[in-house]
Amino acid sequence: MKFCFGNFELDHTAAELRLSDGQGVHLERQVFLLLSLLVQNGSRVTTLDEIVTKIWNDAPISDAAIASRVRSARAALGDNGKTQSIIRTIRGQGFRFELPVTRKADGSIAETLIINEGVAPSIAVLPFQAFGETEQAGVIAPALAHELIVSLSLTKWVTVIARASSFQLGSVANAQSVSEQLDVRYVLSGSVEINGPNLTVSPVLSAADSGQVIWADRYNGLIDDIFSIKADVTNSVVAAVEVHVPRHQAAEARRRDIESLDAWSFFHLGLNHIYRFTEEDNALSARYFKEALARAPNFARAHAGLSFVSFQKAFTGFGADRGVAARDALSAAERAMEQAPDDPFSNFVLGRSYWIQQDLDTAAHSAVQTP
């Protein structure tokens, strides 16, 4: 398989990078593997974890070693860390290839490599502010924020900035500043206040570009119940992100020209309709999920969304043969699992697809496997 971009051709089979005139460009093996990974992922962000897994097989590797290979890849393409016109650093996340890519098998006509998955919603969790009896609050506040980083990371679908990056900005940084420095779409901040035996935790979820608060809440209790309160806050914040971020993303997508939308935007539009449980909305969801897949054929969540659509047809009989719809639900769920076996949504729709076919043991197993 060959990938063409700019004045270059990357021959994956021969492990070579060539100029358009056929002249070879020397690359060390790890640099070639990195460039190949970035090119094949297209406009999707290639995370640091993915790089370590694919190139170093999860062996311990320093950030400096990764940065060195990125510099070499940029240099080979005539790019650099200042302009980042070809390989862009997405701070706290990874790297994204910026050029359009075409691909062709040996002897075949080149076809556009349609990978416009876009960037997954990203969030930075700031250390919570401490008020009242600040010695205790000063311990609880950063610990709670760290717990939220871990819990949000387990959702898999949202990109969470590492603590080392977000905590550097402090607890009072405004959302727009965080957006500029960390290139994120959402900011989670908040406060911890202790007055005598009483504890109050107030998390706030904001859109980073505008500073608009899209969700906030307050949790009150006794300091002796700190672990129970921490669990309540963590569960509520994760649930709020699951609900309010897709809703906000869908609202943003509706304000843009449809030609400019990426796969994630179409996915959130589909998700916004799927939970209305009407035949018309189910059909709209299918349309949006298919638009997402037209831009990113391996987008697991869009396949999972189509499985959800078919499940609803099978469950409610929305103008479809229920047996066919049940089989379609399972097929789409299996495709989602092929792309993202650790994604909770993919596991969820797979379990429901087995359930609708009365395969209860396999359905239960899928539910247990959900991270």
Side-chain angles (χ1 to χ4, degrees), residues 250-272:
E252 290 287 304
R254 289 193 184 93
R255 288 193 283 267
R256 293 164 52 193
D257 292 334
I258 195 166
E259 292 81 5
S260 69
L261 300 183
D262 59 23
W264 271 102
S265 297
F266 278 112
F267 169 74
H268 283 122
L269 285 171
L271 202 64
N272 191 247

Side-chain angles (χ1 to χ4, degrees), residues 3-16:
F3 299 87
C4 303
F5 49 89
N7 295 320
F8 296 92
E9 179 182 82
L10 187 146
D11 189 329
H12 187 73
T13 304
E16 292 181 352

Side-chain angles (χ1 to χ4, degrees), residues 31 34 48 51 56 61-74 89 95:
V31 177
L34 172 64
L48 295 174
I51 290 171
W56 283 279
I61 191 72
S62 67
D63 290 344
I66 296 175
S68 172
R69 274 58 170 191
V70 171
R71 281 196 301 271
S72 296
R74 282 176 173 149
T89 299
F95 304 92

Side-chain angles (χ1 to χ4, degrees), residues 11 43 65 93 106 136 175 222 224 228-229 273 313 363:
D11 189 329
S43 61
Q93 300 179 44
D106 292 339
Q136 278 185 296
L222 299 176
D224 290 343
S228 175
I229 295 172
H273 284 275
K313 289 180 179 179

Side-chain angles (χ1 to χ4, degrees), residues 175-184:
Q176 290 95 331
S177 174
V178 176
S179 174
E180 292 172 1
Q181 296 187 59
L182 298 181
D183 196 20
V184 294

Side-chain angles (χ1 to χ4, degrees), residues 186 241-252 254 268 272:
Y186 299 93
V241 169
E242 291 276 6
V243 172
H244 292 281
V245 167
R247 186 178 296 169
H248 183 264
Q249 291 278 288
E252 290 287 304
R254 289 193 184 93
H268 283 122
N272 191 247

Side-chain angles (χ1 to χ4, degrees), residues 35-49:
L35 180 58
S36 179
L37 180 61
L38 292 170
V39 168
Q40 291 183 70
N41 283 346
S43 61
R44 178 173 73 80
V45 174
T46 302
T47 66
L48 295 174
D49 287 344

